[in-house]
Amino acid sequence: MLRGIAVFLGCLVLGAVVMQVRASRAPQRQPGAFENYRSWALLTKEPVDMSPALSASCIGPRPQHSAPSPHAPRVFNVFANPLAKKTLLGKVGRAYPVGSMIVKEKYARPAGLKQWDPVTLPKGAVPELLTAMVKREKGFAPKDGDWQYMVLSRDGKTQTTKGLEYCAKCHQTEKSNDYVFADYLAFERMHKKS
């Protein structure tokens, strides 16, 4: 009887150790990491139009995989935490440090908006969803530059990382910029001069 209890307790301890090791290897969800993203640097001074032509170039998930789809035609704002901001605004082609986070707020595209029209959102507009990138430790996803891609609820509290292989595939075209698109920054700089 005592031997059976000892074996049972040993299995419980071993199970707890295995679960702890697995948990330490799994990427941390960072509860609340995105809830205050609006306190980060806003990199787009006014929303940027993700025109239908641009959104069509992205191969997003089928409607049953994600609703709303992160690649429907939208306008967006981009926020970066201090680590990402320093790299984004610095020299092109630099590697982002671990912990860099970039969040893109996506809003419904205003009806009748023509490509290249200035975008204004109604007062109190709320994003439909957020997309985010987090730079993880070396070895997390070597072929993707160790970035983790996420789709989040508009408040940043609910997130998913499943079914987002198309994000990584698209961002691989920006390998020379550590997998980060930043065309909107060039547009912002050009727009500032005019």
Side-chain angles (χ1 to χ4, degrees):
M1 172 90 171
L2 286 176
R3 184 174 178 188
I5 292 172
V7 169
F8 175 72
L9 290 174
C11 288
L12 280 177
V13 169
L14 181 60
V17 168
V18 167
M19 287 176 66
Q20 188 172 7
V21 167
R22 283 184 181 163
S24 69
R25 290 182 184 164
Q28 299 303 308
R29 283 182 50 100
Q30 299 177 344
F34 300 101
E35 290 176 32
N36 295 317
Y37 74 90
R38 286 188 146 226
S39 67
W40 302 348
L42 173 62
L43 300 178
T44 49
K45 301 305 175 210
E46 58 185 48
V48 176
D49 182 17
M50 185 176 186
S51 68
L54 177 60
S55 65
S57 71
C58 295
I59 303 170
R62 294 184 179 141
Q64 69 267 24
H65 293 150
S66 179
S69 166
H71 285 99
R74 289 198 169 72
V75 295
F76 63 86
N77 282 320
V78 178
F79 293 83
N81 74 352
L83 287 172
K85 176 189 172 190
K86 186 174 182 180
T87 306
L88 266 166
L89 299 179
K91 186 178 169 189
V92 174
R94 283 183 31 199
Y96 288 77
V98 172
S100 294
M101 292 191 266
I102 302 168
V103 171
K104 188 182 284 186
E105 288 182 325
K106 295 190 175 184
Y107 295 86
R109 193 168 186 265
L113 183 68
K114 294 184 180 104
Q115 197 167 359
W116 309 114
D117 279 355
V119 180
T120 48
L121 294 170
K123 189 173 182 166
V126 177
E128 292 185 325
L129 71 142
L130 310 174
T131 56
M133 297 174 64
V134 179
K135 183 71 169 204
R136 299 294 187 189
E137 68 284 345
K138 189 169 178 61
F140 173 79
K143 68 178 185 171
D144 302 322
D146 299 317
W147 285 99
Q148 182 178 28
Y149 301 92
M150 301 174 189
V151 175
L152 301 99
S153 59
R154 65 181 69 178
D155 60 7
K157 292 180 182 178
T158 306
Q159 53 188 275
T160 185
T161 58
K162 296 186 188 242
L164 302 180
E165 297 80 20
Y166 65 93
C167 296
K169 193 173 188 176
C170 187
H171 280 263
Q172 285 174 353
T173 63
E174 288 297 308
K175 186 175 181 177
S176 64
N177 287 323
D178 197 11
Y179 303 85
V180 176
F181 287 97
D183 298 345
Y184 55 87
L185 290 176
F187 180 76
E188 285 290 314
R189 291 179 186 123
M190 181 182 73
H191 187 66
K192 232 183 203 180
K193 292 176 183 177
S194 54

